[in-house]
Amino acid sequence: MKKKIGLRKRIGLELFSRLHAESVARHELRTLFWECTLRCNLACRHCGSDCRTEALCPDMPAEDFFRVLDGQITPHVDPHRVLVILSGGEVLVRRDLEQIGLALYRRGYPWGMVTNGLALDERRFESLLRAGLHSITVSLDGFREEHTFVRRNERSFDAALAAAEMVAREESVASDVVTCVTPQLMPRIEEFRDMLIERGIRSWRLFTIFPVGRAAADPAMQLSDEDFTRLMEFIARTRREGRIAASYSCEGFLGGYEAEVRDRFYTCQAGVSIASIRVDGSISGCTSIRSNFHQGNIYRDDFWEVWNNRFEPFRNREWARTGECADCKLFRYCLGNGMHLHDDRGELLVCHYRRLRR
């Protein structure tokens, strides 16, 4: 039997859905992803971008991004209230990363990054801090065996663990570890959590694989529905214990586990408060969303005009009320799950609520 949604939680969901509708109407930009490269120093099993050492699409020149930021975004926002996240690929492959970060810092934008840690040593970290780094996430997917299975590089585990410990010691930046939870990790996940705590990690985000990119053809990456339910129980229990700030990512609606495995109720903020500029100039909600949801391109469109006057599929989700969502009584809270969980035809790939077994 599924975990029930109690009266208090249902009232909370109702209130939160109204607040979300108001935020949709305002669509205030709060997070901007810049996919600055598709190059990567790894070839992970779950990569949705199919990144590689030499990407087919070249890095976006920094001057192209700053042309848009300075001329089309900054006049309309308070830079201090917009977090710019540099994403890839692996952002550390860009030799001009520090110059980019410093240019953002001087413009008043807090900036952050996600890294696999393979190229993050103390010297590089210090240079990033001098460039005004605000936040950093390190990917660490279990102990050596589990992490290496995902990342497919024998050196990756030691580098990622060292990077995670290093950034956790630096109190001037917000930092966390993000973990791809695989069937291989599930039997040891409590042990892994305890190891993170012992290593000084204070914040931990967990996510599960959805079937796109390389992971679409790799069932070894997918949790069973039973393990998925056990994962939710584990996160809720870990949060109650309070030894590490654990949370499940913004993957989808979780029914009775809402507000128990995250700090807030589920919502997809793509196109509502989150936008992205892809490496080819495409304008979208976040970098995990299929290309058929792109709303424009910086090389032919004005970003701010696109942000204000397009994004209809992101802000009015009635189109998603089809298939298994058509008659769902919880659609008003879920709105068809995350935008990244719809395929090129708009059909839902995964319903997290239906996966839960109790």
Side-chain angles (χ1 to χ4, degrees):
M1 180 181 295
K2 289 186 184 295
K3 185 179 177 68
K4 292 183 178 180
I5 303 176
L7 178 60
R8 286 184 61 186
K9 189 166 293 184
R10 194 170 289 271
I11 292 172
L13 285 166
E14 286 288 342
L15 292 173
F16 192 76
S17 66
R18 295 176 190 175
L19 291 173
H20 179 65
E22 293 174 4
S23 68
V24 169
R26 292 193 306 270
H27 52 267
E28 296 176 359
L29 183 63
R30 287 289 176 260
T31 303
L32 176 64
F33 284 90
W34 176 26
E35 187 182 58
C36 60
T37 183
L38 284 183
R39 291 182 295 136
C40 191
N41 49 16
L42 293 177
C44 305
R45 289 180 182 273
H46 65 316
C47 183
S49 300
D50 198 25
C51 300
R52 59 196 74 197
T53 303
E54 291 299 328
L56 297 177
C57 186
D59 296 356
M60 178 182 287
E63 55 266 28
D64 291 1
F65 174 76
F66 282 107
R67 172 184 61 81
V68 175
L69 189 72
D70 293 340
Q72 301 172 18
I73 298 177
T74 300
H76 306 284
V77 302
D78 176 357
H80 297 91
R81 291 171 58 83
V82 179
L83 174 64
V84 178
I85 300 178
L86 305 181
S87 72
E90 169 56 50
V91 296
L92 289 175
V93 303
R94 285 196 67 135
R95 295 182 178 180
D96 60 349
L97 187 61
E98 284 82 353
Q99 293 94 315
I100 291 169
L102 188 58
L104 288 167
Y105 176 78
R106 288 172 172 168
R107 286 165 168 80
Y109 286 94
W111 69 277
M113 56 180 283
V114 181
T115 178
N116 60 42
L118 189 61
L120 188 63
D121 56 19
E122 290 188 11
R123 183 176 179 180
R124 191 76 194 269
F125 187 45
E126 284 295 327
S127 70
L128 292 168
L129 291 173
R130 290 194 297 271
L133 180 67
H134 177 81
S135 66
I136 183 168
T137 294
V138 177
S139 297
L140 183 62
D141 301 312
F143 294 103
R144 184 180 304 278
E145 181 179 354
E146 298 84 26
H147 183 88
T148 304
F149 172 79
V150 174
R151 300 291 167 172
R152 301 199 288 199
N153 183 298
E154 293 294 335
R155 297 187 296 114
S156 178
F157 173 77
D158 289 332
L161 181 58
E165 291 183 273
M166 178 174 61
V167 302
R169 290 193 297 268
E170 179 53 58
E171 297 184 356
S172 68
V173 296
S175 67
D176 65 356
V177 162
V178 63
T179 297
C180 170
V181 182
T182 59
Q184 294 75 24
L185 177 60
M186 276 302 297
R188 305 186 67 189
I189 196 163
E190 294 198 14
E191 184 185 354
F192 181 61
R193 173 203 58 199
D194 294 343
M195 186 271 284
L196 293 178
I197 295 170
E198 290 171 3
R199 299 289 182 131
I201 309 302
R202 299 183 299 273
S203 185
W204 184 29
R205 281 184 294 131
L206 305 93
F207 73 98
T208 49
I209 290 299
F210 51 97
V212 298
R214 295 182 186 138
D218 193 348
M221 296 292 293
Q222 309 286 334
L223 292 185
S224 67
D225 292 351
E226 290 76 11
D227 271 349
F228 183 71
T229 303
R230 281 193 282 269
L231 176 62
M232 295 304 109
E233 291 285 342
F234 165 76
I235 296 173
R237 185 170 63 252
T238 297
R239 288 171 61 85
R240 289 193 297 269
E241 292 172 357
R243 294 186 295 146
I244 187 171
S247 65
Y248 186 62
S249 63
C250 56
E251 286 293 297
F253 180 73
L254 297 168
Y257 290 100
E258 286 297 315
E260 295 184 19
V261 297
R262 306 186 188 99
D263 293 338
R264 53 187 290 174
F265 291 112
Y266 166 76
T267 179
C268 179
Q269 286 294 313
V272 178
S273 66
I274 297 173
S276 68
I277 296 175
R278 306 298 298 267
V279 70
D280 64 353
S282 297
I283 301 168
S284 188
C286 81
T287 56
S288 296
I289 297 170
R290 311 284 76 73
S291 61
N292 62 315
F293 287 106
H294 291 171
Q295 300 300 296
N297 192 290
I298 64 167
Y299 293 112
R300 64 172 183 267
D301 301 307
D302 180 279
F303 178 94
W304 201 250
E305 187 277 330
V306 172
W307 176 251
N308 273 325
N309 300 315
R310 303 188 195 178
F311 281 90
E312 179 68 12
F314 293 79
R315 297 170 187 165
N316 183 351
R317 300 290 295 278
E318 283 301 310
W319 60 266
R321 201 190 285 267
T322 60
E324 61 184 314
C325 296
D327 301 318
C328 181
K329 296 180 180 179
L330 299 177
F331 182 87
R332 63 190 299 166
Y333 310 132
C334 174
L335 299 177
N337 241 4
M339 288 289 295
H340 67 292
L341 295 171
H342 290 266
D343 65 17
D344 290 337
R345 296 174 296 176
E347 295 181 3
L348 184 64
L349 294 167
V350 177
C351 174
H352 291 72
Y353 176 68
R354 291 182 185 275
R355 293 191 67 193
L356 296 167
R357 290 305 192 195
R358 63 176 185 269

